[in-house]
Amino acid sequence: METESPDWLRLQKALAVEAERGFTDLMGKQYRFSEFLCLEFGKPPATLIPIERRRWQEMANKFARYPDFPLEERQHLVAETRRFLHQVQQSSNKQIQEQTRENREQYTIENPNYKAPLTAPLVQSNVGVSLDQQLSHLPDVGVRKSGYLAKLGLQTVRDILFYYPRDHIDYARQVNICELEAGETVTVVGTVKRCTCFSSPKNQKLTIFQVVLKDRTGQITLSRFFAGNRYSNRGWQEGQKSRYPVGTIVAASGLVKKSQYGITLEEPQMEVLAHPGDTIDSMSIGRVVPVYALTEGVAADMVRSAVIAALPAAKQLKDPLPAALRDGYGLMKLPEAIANIHFPPDSAAKEAARRRLVFDEFFYLQLGFLMRRQAQRQKQASAILAPRGKLIEQFHKVLPFKLTNAQQRVLNDILNDLQSSSPMNRLVQGDVGSGKTVVAVIAILAAIQSGYQAALMAPTEVLAEQHYRKLVGWFNLLHLPVELLTGSTKTAKRREIHSQLETGELPLLVGTHALIQDKVNFHKLGLVVIDEQHRFGVEQRALLQQKGEQPHVLTMTATPIPRTLALTVHGDLDVSQIDELPPGRQTIHTTVLTGRERTNAYDLIRREIVQGRQAYIVLPLIEESEKLDVRSAVEEHQRLSESIFPQFQVGLLHGRMTSAEKDEAINLFRDNQTQIIVSTTVIEVGVDVPNATVMLIENAERFGLSQLHQLRGRVGRGSHQSYCLLMSSSKTADARYRLNVLEQSQDGFFIAEMDMRLRGPGQVLGTRQSGVQDLALASLVEDQEVLNIARDAAEKVILQDKKLEQHPLMKAALDYRYQRLMGGAILT
């Protein structure tokens, strides 16, 4: 219900008296102070402009809570109200009426069925708002609210403009009451038939508000529930009823829900309209409503109202993208995109805005990668390596097999890079058993025969030793020395290695993080090979590169990642894929089992061991956890040894064992002195036992698909048929679906793509990689097309303007975004 003009004098007098008496919520003749203000603000004047009407209605809600406020908040509310009333009273009634008339003429709807009342524009003319202005200086925010917004890292107008919603709720579609269907978000417009607000007979602390709306097609009962003593006072309840008198036109938005009492709207948002074709001024009714990430003490409407206050400044944003580039890729202008990502008029505008802003996130990321790669290529490398020579020829002769076409293709890429004076920075992706190590060895030999040294760094001692064993076998045939340096290397041996490195006697050093210690100094390092590179931190990889003067860098991973993820994380790398397995590799039979089928798994293990084979049993934990219902390695090892396989030797391997203990466990298993090894994921990479044919993984649903595929790769390395058994106790459909992917596919790249779709890029990569988790809007799963065109656009820009001298706005945006997104860190 609206009034023509409130009693300004009476309102101001009530506020003044309350202030004089110490903000005690004075009791008047009929109402308490808070009840009186709640009632008065429940009747907004008809002359108010939309932004003032919203604040007027907010005041009613605030004074309903006034009795529960501490003294400081009461003082603040009374002062704020007095200022607001003075501002409204001093406004020109004539100008306000004229503005209201123009707005209504602009948005009047001629449809007599009231199908789509348009919402009024939320952005009011806010003269003087600038991008770098503090939010506390905005009239609709103020010091108190800005303090809450600071919890979200929002200090300036620019900050909040680029604080994108995490989601939107579409209330823009208006329907007749008879057309309501459960599960939809809609808006209905109807006439109030009845309105009640009362305390529940069963619980006096529960207040029930109900309004019955009807249109020409039917009627609907809308309910809201308020828990707490503050809502049970008579003044507040009467104030609610007075806002929706019989005959009033109301717009209501919400999620349609079907209950035992019929169709209704869940937690409906409602606004009183002056007439059926009136504009809707609410931030959350009849429009696409933004949903922001919040924190304690920060309400959704607080963020929305601050965004609305800041939106006029969006026009000041200068678009760094040239018009030709925007038009070429069908992109919205930046100021328009910012406005429409917050409060779009419809879903189409929201999607167009999102596409532009997602493009920006990917574009500047790719632009930074390309500029970094360009800078790397301009550096003069000390190593120009020969792709042909006696060592490589001899190696091909001693190899008992021929390289696959995929290996040869990737090797050609590497050897071409090594001939350049620009340092190579290439990532080789290959599935388990695809032969990455052989390709890396040929690159190492190219460095050695050219007079340089090489280093191969692996993330674990197990994997480093595995590489060392393989390289020793090959290098002995070539009469070349190779050494292993890990945390377990004895002091005397360590000194010997350091000395041989500095003199240049040692051409190749294999090791773990020990390679990046200060005492490790190469005489002439020409090539760095990093295996399972995603397991190293940014600084660790950079430190190894600094052991030489711009050495070539070859990184390898047996955990393939989808192209979109590779572009986002390794955009400054050249990526090669070994997408072909050597001939003779057998398919590993993979089966998902439940707890009831455990005996079948044990029977298979027994049959294989009787035939001379061996088995892995992998568990996610070392020791039993009270919180997680999963089998532990230590407990399971004891159970299997004593109860299930007493006739066999059962070994144990986990990450808390010393290096000597790990070596002993692996060597015993490698020599078939233990037929079963119970292990954690420490055997994920590096353990190569061709005689092992069974991999049993307990609680398989707790692992990522790529990790399961890696574990599966520990078997099937010999000539015998191998098996992978995925034991799962989970009954969820999602878990079963994920594990079925492993049952149906042996393709690591496909599995990695599915892993990213099911778990998200952050979990696939782990937390060490920067950048991916920080993308505000972009999704590597849903926005692959935008990523591809952003990469294409970035390549075109760099091709024409290598240093962005012709694009100063773009250069400034890149510097700002790149430092903020990547933290200035070198990814690769």
Side-chain angles (χ1 to χ4, degrees), residues 17-222:
V17 172
E18 175 71 7
E20 290 170 5
R21 301 290 176 87
F23 308 94
T24 57
D25 198 15
L26 287 169
M27 183 66 202
K29 292 181 180 179
Q30 187 176 2
Y31 300 112
R32 283 196 172 276
F33 165 76
S34 57
E35 294 174 343
F36 169 69
L37 269 292
C38 189
L39 284 169
E40 289 298 311
F41 281 108
K43 300 174 287 187
T47 55
L48 294 181
I49 61 175
I51 196 167
E52 291 172 339
R53 184 183 299 177
R54 280 196 302 278
R55 290 194 64 187
W56 190 278
Q57 292 171 339
E58 286 173 5
M59 291 296 182
N61 293 328
K62 289 180 179 179
F63 279 105
R65 301 194 300 272
Y66 187 86
D68 299 325
F69 282 176
L71 177 61
E72 185 180 350
E73 282 197 55
R74 290 186 179 189
Q75 291 172 333
H76 179 84
L77 177 58
V78 170
E80 179 189 11
T81 306
R82 295 177 77 174
R83 287 194 301 270
F84 172 60
L85 288 176
H86 178 74
Q87 173 190 336
V88 173
Q89 189 178 5
Q90 293 301 312
S91 297
S92 169
N93 289 335
K94 185 176 180 180
Q95 289 178 347
I96 295 173
Q97 289 170 354
E98 179 65 19
Q99 181 66 51
T100 305
R101 185 186 63 80
E102 290 176 1
N103 284 346
R104 287 179 176 174
E105 285 179 0
Q106 182 178 356
Y107 295 102
T108 294
I109 296 172
E110 297 178 356
N111 187 345
N113 294 328
Y114 319 135
K115 285 290 289 182
L118 296 179
T119 52
L122 286 170
V123 183
Q124 303 298 321
S125 176
N126 206 339
V127 180
V129 178
S130 65
L131 291 168
D132 297 317
Q133 186 173 342
Q134 293 291 312
L135 290 173
S136 58
H137 295 162
L138 296 181
D140 294 326
V141 179
V143 175
R144 182 167 169 270
K145 288 183 180 178
S146 68
Y148 288 111
L149 294 171
K151 294 181 179 181
L152 297 172
L154 306 176
Q155 304 282 353
T156 67
V157 168
R158 187 188 301 272
D159 290 341
I160 203 160
L161 288 179
F162 285 90
Y163 190 66
Y164 303 140
R166 62 176 175 81
D167 200 359
H168 291 81
I169 302 174
D170 188 358
Y171 292 140
R173 189 170 74 91
Q174 185 192 335
V175 300
N176 292 322
I177 291 175
C178 72
E179 298 170 346
L180 293 174
E181 292 187 16
E184 296 181 339
T185 53
V186 298
T187 295
V188 296
V189 174
T191 304
V192 175
K193 184 178 177 182
R194 183 174 65 253
C195 180
T196 57
C197 189
F198 55 93
S199 298
S200 170
K202 297 181 180 179
N203 182 359
Q204 288 298 310
K205 293 184 179 181
L206 179 65
T207 297
I208 302 171
F209 169 79
Q210 286 186 335
V211 61
V212 178
L213 292 185
K214 65 175 182 177
D215 66 7
R216 63 183 182 83
T217 69
Q219 68 179 38
I220 183 173
T221 300
L222 306 178

Side-chain angles (χ1 to χ4, degrees), residues 489-713:
T489 305
K490 303 295 184 184
T491 303
K493 183 64 176 178
R494 191 180 294 269
R495 288 178 184 154
E496 180 186 340
I497 291 172
H498 290 165
S499 175
Q500 292 179 351
L501 276 181
E502 291 180 358
T503 61
E505 297 174 63
L506 182 61
L508 172 62
L509 180 62
V510 179
T512 56
H513 305 76
L515 298 187
I516 61 178
Q517 294 174 346
D518 292 339
K519 294 182 180 180
V520 177
N521 296 307
F522 289 81
H523 174 67
K524 199 176 181 183
L525 181 63
L527 175 67
V528 168
V529 179
I530 302 174
D531 196 14
E532 293 301 321
Q533 57 82 36
H534 62 284
R535 292 178 171 231
F536 290 101
V538 170
E539 294 82 2
Q540 293 168 326
R541 300 198 295 265
L543 282 171
L544 183 56
Q545 290 173 243
Q546 292 165 14
K547 296 291 183 180
E549 296 182 7
Q550 301 301 329
H552 295 286
V553 179
L554 177 65
T555 56
M556 302 189 297
T557 179
T559 308
I561 60 177
R563 182 177 182 273
T564 51
L565 202 50
L567 276 179
T568 310
V569 183
H570 308 301
D572 53 348
L573 289 177
D574 295 306
V575 180
S576 296
Q577 293 187 173
I578 303 180
D579 50 9
E580 177 186 0
L581 291 177
R585 291 275 298 192
Q586 294 191 42
T587 299
I588 302 167
H589 284 316
T590 304
T591 309
V592 179
L593 302 175
T594 64
R596 295 177 180 177
E597 299 168 295
R598 184 177 300 280
T599 54
N600 296 341
Y602 292 159
D603 288 344
L604 174 62
I605 291 173
R606 289 190 187 93
R607 287 199 303 272
E608 288 295 301
I609 293 176
V610 167
Q611 295 177 39
R613 318 282 180 256
Q614 293 164 273
Y616 298 96
I617 297 179
V618 179
L619 299 103
L621 293 180
I622 296 171
E623 295 169 349
E624 193 166 3
S625 167
E626 295 178 2
K627 295 182 180 180
L628 298 173
D629 183 22
V630 293
R631 294 170 178 267
S632 72
V634 173
E635 297 291 330
E636 187 70 352
H637 172 256
Q638 182 178 356
R639 189 182 74 87
L640 293 172
S641 302
E642 297 174 357
S643 305
I644 309 301
F645 301 114
Q647 71 273 43
F648 304 130
Q649 294 298 314
V650 182
L652 176 65
L653 178 66
H654 59 72
R656 290 187 191 169
M657 295 167 66
T658 65
S659 295
E661 290 171 335
K662 289 179 189 173
D663 289 344
E664 182 182 8
I666 292 171
N667 289 333
L668 287 172
F669 188 64
R670 186 181 286 118
D671 297 338
N672 203 1
Q673 294 184 43
T674 55
Q675 290 77 49
I676 300 170
I677 190 163
V678 178
S679 174
T680 59
T681 55
V682 70
I683 57 100
E684 182 180 345
V685 291
V687 178
D688 188 2
V689 180
N691 193 49
T693 57
V694 182
M695 166 70 66
L696 170 60
I697 304 174
E698 295 281 359
N699 301 102
E701 73 279 356
R702 293 183 52 80
F703 298 91
L705 293 184
S706 293
Q707 190 176 27
L708 289 172
H709 182 60
Q710 279 275 51
L711 289 167
R712 176 169 62 180

